[in-house]
Amino acid sequence: MKCRYCKAPLEHTFLDLGFAPPSNAYLTEADLNKPEIYYPLKVKVCDSCWLVQTEDYAEADALFTPEYAYFSSTSASWLDHAKHYADQMIEKLNLNRKSFVIEVASNDGYLLKNFLHRGIPCLGIEPTRSTAAAAEKLGIPVLHEFFGKALGERLAIEGKQADLIIGNNVYAHVPDINDFTKGLKAVLKRGGTITLEFPHVMRLIEQAQFDTVYHEHFSYLSLYTVSRIFATAGLSIWKVEELSTHGGSLRVFGCHQEDSRETQPSVSAVLEEEAVHGLQQLQTYVTFQTRADKIKDDLLAFLVEQKRAGKTVAAYGAAAKGNTLLNYAGIKPDLLPFVCDAAKAKQGQYMPGSHIPILAPERLESAKPNVVLILPWNIAEEVMQQNAFVTEQGGKFLTAIPSVKVHECGFC
Ligand SMILES: [Zn+2]
């Protein structure tokens, strides 16, 4: 296999998680009697451009059905993050009724509604029917398509170039990152701004976030590599912000290469930080597996210990990252009898691979487990606050990343 960006041969493995079902392929009760398809889950690193990327596997297309059940609006902290971002951009870019904003992967309209409320024309691009329908109900126009060079060029011809193009948590999910970036270039108005948010591979490595690896996630990105991909497409990055979302993300600000905007010191600062973290050294990548394995072993040992001691355990948050962790560790309902999740669409279903049932959060109140494993560790604080009764009734919270940790009170 060749690197998706620079086409150099991929010779080094970053992480091999064996085989796993798609992390968003939640199962119904009827599905439990059917065979389940497992795909290889292996991540390589390119030693020429340092793009960390999922290895290709057969029948990948079957994975990406447009019925993905995740609705962005279910996380309160993510909604706050979106509102704050929109207010900031409207002010800094002087956006008004004559401006045009495009969001790629606009989901249920969680972000664009903030622009709509301020009277700024916008367009969402979202192939997933259920989430796109939710956005349309809010009055946001949505194109039900995948974004790439062809769509970017078509919109440009239709006179729909944007002053601001937003891509939050989509860049890492794109199989053809060069084609996607060319699409951004095509649909960007002269003088316009692109902002992309994606998990920072530097934080993934630093905090051993191996559970954020799943099939739908094609790339794990650094500023260094994204700068190179942008340059190839005729774009440049003039500013970058480090965010705490998703365990540590980057928000990069792009513009046309010929734009006169000055590059801000934040760009060289993050590039320097990445170099210090060894992101351009092979050793940093090839030692990651051992660290992931230690977490898996520690978690398994902890759960077995609880079972032998007669303690009860449950999990909170039926997140994709939880499926990666549970499947890699081989955890089944005997060690973890149920997972609670606030998203009604997931309740009554089962986790792929592990077949652990997903129940409403109220179940934690009646079952009173001794330990609650928080799978989406990135919102652990929010979960502990919303479910403070767990500690009040004598239970403890547990997180597995960056290392297995029992939280003695609800706020540490
Ligand atoms: Zn490469």
Side-chain angles (χ1 to χ4, degrees):
M1 182 188 164
K2 291 193 167 131
C3 171
R4 288 203 175 86
Y5 161 59
C6 78
K7 312 299 173 201
L10 289 177
E11 285 161 358
H12 306 284
T13 297
F14 172 63
L15 184 64
D16 186 349
L17 295 176
F19 282 67
S23 62
N24 284 305
Y26 295 92
L27 306 168
T28 63
E29 201 165 343
D31 291 333
L32 298 181
N33 290 322
K34 295 175 190 164
E36 199 174 358
I37 302 175
Y38 279 55
Y39 298 87
L41 189 49
K42 197 169 180 179
V43 182
K44 311 285 267 188
V45 60
C46 172
D47 61 3
S48 171
C49 71
W50 304 110
L51 178 63
V52 177
Q53 50 203 295
T54 307
E55 192 177 70
D56 281 335
Y57 47 90
E59 297 170 40
D61 294 351
L63 261 176
F64 305 104
T65 57
E67 284 313 329
Y68 181 34
Y70 181 76
F71 283 73
S72 294
S73 292
T74 52
S75 164
S77 58
W78 186 245
L79 285 178
D80 286 346
H81 174 76
K83 166 96 172 63
H84 181 69
Y85 163 85
D87 290 344
Q88 230 182 353
M89 295 308 286
I90 291 168
E91 195 193 316
K92 287 198 176 145
L93 302 177
N94 294 315
L95 299 177
N96 55 47
R97 285 170 194 280
K98 287 181 185 159
S99 311
F100 189 50
V101 176
I102 291 179
E103 187 187 15
V104 184
S106 50
N107 197 275
D108 56 13
Y110 74 100
L111 175 60
L112 283 181
K113 68 177 183 190
N114 297 298
F115 291 95
L116 194 76
H117 291 164
R118 303 273 297 265
I120 298 160
C122 56
L123 173 70
I125 298 171
E126 177 55 67
T128 309
R129 284 186 287 269
S130 52
T131 51
E136 281 164 335
K137 254 189 204 164
L138 300 173
I140 299 163
V142 182
L143 278 179
H144 301 208
E145 290 178 60
F146 282 101
F147 184 77
K149 183 167 174 273
L151 179 54
E153 286 175 348
R154 199 182 87 211
L155 288 168
I157 290 166
E158 290 170 4
K160 289 179 181 157
Q161 284 187 318
D163 299 277
L164 173 63
I165 307 171
I166 308 158
N168 286 346
N169 296 302
V170 58
Y171 206 43
H173 290 70
V174 173
D176 188 345
I177 201 161
N178 289 333
D179 183 77
F180 185 92
T181 314
K182 283 177 193 160
L184 295 176
K185 168 82 181 172
V187 79
L188 184 65
K189 205 182 268 181
R190 201 172 151 193
T193 300
I194 298 166
T195 74
L196 299 180
E197 284 179 37
F198 48 82
H200 193 185
V201 72
M202 185 179 89
R203 298 295 173 210
L204 185 160
I205 293 172
E206 180 187 58
Q207 290 161 33
Q209 300 163 352
F210 74 94
D211 60 340
T212 62
V213 169
Y214 42 89
H215 298 100
E216 296 89 330
H217 212 159
F218 286 92
S219 311
Y220 303 85
L221 301 158
S222 63
L223 179 61
Y224 173 82
T225 305
V226 172
S227 302
R228 289 186 56 172
I229 299 169
F230 264 48
T232 302
L235 296 165
S236 62
I237 292 170
W238 56 278
K239 180 180 163 182
V240 62
E241 289 173 354
E242 291 185 272
L243 310 172
S244 60
T245 46
H246 295 280
S249 296
L250 289 182
R251 178 187 286 153
V252 297
F253 293 71
C255 61
H256 287 293
Q257 235 160 23
E258 51 277 22
D259 197 292
S260 60
R261 251 174 281 196
E262 247 178 71
T263 305
Q264 299 201 359
S266 55
V267 175
S268 55
V270 174
L271 287 173
E272 173 64 25
E273 207 185 349
E274 289 183 348
V276 170
H277 277 77
L279 288 204
Q280 281 131 60
Q281 289 165 31
L282 190 57
Q283 185 67 9
T284 307
Y285 298 93
V286 295
T287 51
F288 189 70
Q289 180 89 42
T290 313
R291 297 172 57 207
D293 286 349
K294 181 178 181 334
I295 293 170
K296 172 193 67 122
D297 295 347
D298 289 349
L299 178 63
L300 264 177
F302 180 88
L303 294 178
V304 170
E305 196 184 305
Q306 301 306 305
K307 187 182 175 184
R308 287 188 172 154
K311 301 262 175 78
T312 51
V313 183
Y316 190 96
K321 55 169 73 69
N323 288 321
T324 296
L325 176 68
L326 299 177
N327 285 322
Y328 183 51
I331 294 167
K332 300 276 191 277
D334 65 310
L335 290 177
L336 195 55
F338 65 93
V339 179
C340 291
D341 198 287
K344 290 217 161 38
K346 286 182 184 170
Q347 292 168 9
Q349 295 194 302
Y350 295 80
M351 301 285 265
S354 65
H355 296 186
I356 296 171
I358 305 167
L359 308 174
E362 291 75 46
R363 190 58 176 265
L364 287 178
E365 284 181 72
S366 53
K368 297 187 174 52
N370 298 112
V371 178
V372 177
L373 168 63
I374 302 172
L375 294 170
W377 42 259
N378 53 309
I379 54 163
E381 224 161 278
E382 186 180 332
V383 171
M384 288 194 272
Q385 280 167 12
Q386 283 172 356
N387 301 279
F389 63 86
V390 169
T391 30
E392 283 155 20
Q393 63 195 19
K396 280 176 183 165
F397 287 105
L398 174 76
T399 44
I401 308 287
S403 57
V404 174
K405 181 185 172 187
V406 177
H407 300 256
E408 289 304 328
C409 75
F411 304 95
C412 56

